[in-house]
Amino acid sequence: MTTATTTGSPSAPASTSTPASTSTPGATSTSGDVRPSAQPRRALDWRLRFGFLSLIWGFSFLLIKVGTGSYAPFQVTLGRLAFGTAVLAVAIAVKRDRLPRGARTWAHLTVAALLLNALPFSLFAYAELTIPSTLAGICNATSPLWGMALSLVALSEDRPTRVRVAGLGLGFLGVLTVLGAWQGFSGLDARGTALALLASLSYPIGWIYVRRTLAGTGSSALSMTGAQLFLATLQLAVVTPLFTTFPARFPLLPLLAVAALGALGTGLALLIQYGLVTEVGPTTAQMVTYFIPVIATAAGVALLGESLTWSTPVGAVIVLAGAALTQVRGKA
């Protein structure tokens, strides 16, 4: 949720200062400072593709909830990554793109795959065992806040301003509002919420790592993203059998949810974002971040019957306002 390269967290919000991932439930990708090469203007207006991307990533939290209703969280994540990797593999083959080269690059991509895909995807899946998809979607929106806080420490070129610091404080005030802090967090599953917040924190940690290790590799964003998802799939393929048993049956609806989560919410979403960044730039493309929790909340309430108190939408608006302020550049 992961914007010159994207994520995809659940969708993941864009990095605080580089064109890098958004997410979501999308899957964050890495390409360092590589920019996609210029492409001809698409037949489908970018605004329509922007809206479709918002819907895909917004509905990803609902799909996770449906998938984990019948399959273990690691199994949902493995399926998601496998389907997403397959879509990108086809795109790479069609474009005749070349995979990254060099053991050092692949080693850094392995770490990026863990921080930007395998870990946050798994944490969100486990979180949604005990918290509603609406809350997971809002927790995902805190990623730019974590990114701003971390960048002040880890990125010397990312100087704070009064506006951005105010946005950071406002955003976390929104988190407390969503969680009902004045009520002592009553009725809140602390473990599930903590897992969702940790998932959103994993994205900016990964982005900072990517900026420090994978800038200027010379590979395309598409090939780097495909390689990263492939490595994340391998990681889950190793971990999943150790913590889960093979399903005795395969219920159709949850299976379709996992397939859609991977093929659409990860694979296709990354291709759409890749095109948007090429056409309208990372600043505009990353604005999809602010639509994701709205769609996730609407989908959870309308289709899953999840309850909604006044503090959830109000807190979500405050979180998004704070996240938007942390992206403001220039003097303040």
Side-chain angles (χ1 to χ4, degrees):
M1 74 176 99
T2 159
T3 53
T5 60
T6 120
T7 126
S9 137
S11 307
S15 158
T16 51
S17 56
T18 52
S21 24
T22 132
S23 127
T24 158
T28 306
S29 73
T30 54
S31 68
D33 291 336
V34 175
R35 299 293 190 278
S37 57
Q39 297 179 357
R41 194 168 188 83
R42 309 297 179 89
L44 188 62
D45 187 83
W46 72 265
R47 296 170 187 82
L48 296 177
R49 284 180 279 126
F50 182 96
F52 185 53
L53 181 61
S54 301
L55 285 173
I56 292 175
W57 273 342
F59 270 85
S60 292
F61 295 96
L62 180 149
L63 294 174
I64 293 172
K65 175 66 77 173
V66 174
T68 53
S70 297
Y71 300 104
F74 276 140
Q75 293 169 345
V76 170
T77 304
L78 175 58
R80 172 185 188 173
L81 288 168
F83 280 108
T85 300
V87 170
L88 289 186
V90 171
I92 291 172
V94 169
K95 290 179 176 292
R96 297 183 178 180
D97 207 346
R98 301 171 66 177
L99 289 175
R101 295 184 176 183
R104 185 181 181 85
T105 297
W106 281 87
H108 288 313
L109 280 172
T110 300
V111 178
L114 174 66
L115 294 174
L116 295 172
N117 302 115
L119 180 60
F121 289 3
S122 298
L123 289 174
F124 272 121
Y126 271 101
E128 290 201 44
L129 291 176
T130 55
I131 66 172
S133 64
T134 54
L135 179 55
I138 293 170
C139 287
N140 180 75
T142 65
S143 199
L145 304 178
W146 296 119
M148 157 71 178
L150 290 172
S151 69
L152 297 181
V153 177
L155 300 174
S156 59
E157 72 274 19
D158 211 0
R159 300 297 182 186
T161 64
R162 288 192 296 271
V163 170
R164 298 182 70 199
V165 172
L168 185 63
L170 182 64
F172 284 112
L173 176 63
V175 172
L176 294 177
T177 303
V178 170
L179 302 182
W182 67 92
Q183 298 175 328
F185 306 105
S186 61
L188 181 73
D189 184 84
R191 179 177 176 273
T193 304
L195 290 176
L197 290 173
L198 283 173
S200 70
L201 173 60
S202 182
Y203 289 125
I205 293 175
W207 298 329
I208 291 172
Y209 179 83
V210 165
R211 287 184 60 176
R212 290 184 177 276
T213 62
L214 286 169
T217 62
S219 298
S220 72
L222 177 60
S223 68
M224 295 286 280
T225 303
Q228 181 182 307
L229 282 187
F230 171 70
L231 291 168
T233 304
L234 289 183
Q235 292 168 359
L236 262 293
V238 172
V239 170
T240 301
L242 301 178
F243 295 94
T244 66
T245 57
F246 194 78
R249 59 192 187 89
F250 294 86
L252 181 59
L253 183 59
L255 183 60
L256 290 175
V258 173
L261 181 63
L264 300 179
T266 303
L268 180 60
L270 290 175
L271 293 177
I272 295 174
Q273 173 112 0
Y274 177 83
L276 285 174
V277 169
T278 301
E279 185 171 338
V280 300
T283 301
T284 299
Q286 79 177 19
M287 293 303 294
V288 70
T289 299
Y290 305 109
F291 292 87
I292 292 171
V294 177
I295 296 170
T297 299
V301 172
L303 300 178
L304 297 179
E306 295 176 345
S307 60
L308 189 68
T309 61
W310 68 268
S311 61
T312 301
V314 170
V317 170
I318 298 174
V319 167
L320 294 176
L325 288 177
T326 64
Q327 305 302 301
V328 173
R329 292 290 179 268
K331 297 181 180 181

